[in-house]
């Protein structure tokens, strides 16, 4: 059984930081690109940051570049999202997802099909 479990969400003031984690089990983590996505109330889900199977190639949504950093530890089957200088517009439910390692990283973050999803973790940024 494949499981993606996110953690690290919470309430933070604008300008603060959070680090999200997504721990994966039930699949060969090294064979999957990973991504972080978010969905705010009334809005469509959007790709925030994605990484190749090795973590060597990354892609970011323009509005989070220079503030968010995606990384992964393949030995721990975990992908991270370090979020700095948070703004209220970053408030959303954040999900991690796994996609085929053969998919270009930009495509993972956009329209590419994802094989597995986590249950999400809430991030709320107060002004």
């Amino acid at each position: 059984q494949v499981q993606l479990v996110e953690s690290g969400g919470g309430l933070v003031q604008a300008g603060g930081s959070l680090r999200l984690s997504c721990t994966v089990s039930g699949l060969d983590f090294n064979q999957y690109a990973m991504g972080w996505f978010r969905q705010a109330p009334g809005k469509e889900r959007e790709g925030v940051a994605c990484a190749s199977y090795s973590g060597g190639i990354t892609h970011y949504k323009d509005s989070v570049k220079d503030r968010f950093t995606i990384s992964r530890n393949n030995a721990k089957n975990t992908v991270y999202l370090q979020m700095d200088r948070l703004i209220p517009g970053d408030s959303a439910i954040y999900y991690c997802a796994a996609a085929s390692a053969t998919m270009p990283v930009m495509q993972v973050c956009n329209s590419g099909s994802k094989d597995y999803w986590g249950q999400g973790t809430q991030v709320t940024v107060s002004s």
Side-chain angles (χ1 to χ4, degrees):
Q1 180 182 1
V2 177
Q3 286 191 310
L4 284 69
V5 180
E6 299 98 337
S7 61
L11 173 65
V12 64
Q13 287 189 331
S17 297
L18 283 174
R19 188 194 196 203
L20 305 183
S21 299
C22 171
T23 301
V24 179
S25 60
L27 56 76
D28 185 349
F29 190 66
N30 298 283
Q31 298 298 316
Y32 287 85
M34 296 297 298
W36 286 97
F37 302 79
R38 67 188 183 188
Q39 187 167 21
K43 295 186 177 181
E44 292 188 355
R45 186 162 53 190
E46 59 183 5
V48 175
C50 297
S52 63
Y53 70 95
S54 68
I57 301 172
T58 57
H59 175 78
Y60 295 91
K61 176 180 172 63
D62 284 346
S63 64
V64 308
K65 284 180 180 178
D66 301 324
R67 297 190 299 121
F68 290 10
T69 303
I70 187 171
S71 62
R72 60 189 292 167
N73 184 331
N74 285 4
K76 294 185 176 181
N77 284 11
T78 301
V79 60
Y80 306 96
L81 185 67
Q82 177 67 40
M83 304 187 294
D84 298 318
R85 302 195 306 279
L86 284 159
I87 61 175
D90 294 321
S91 297
I93 299 175
Y94 282 71
Y95 302 88
C96 66
S100 170
T102 62
M103 185 182 298
V105 173
M106 182 182 294
Q107 189 174 345
V108 173
C109 257
N110 294 309
S111 60
S113 176
K114 268 62 78 174
D115 294 331
Y116 304 100
W117 289 90
Q119 82 290 348
T121 185
Q122 178 71 49
V123 171
T124 304
V125 184
S126 64
S127 57

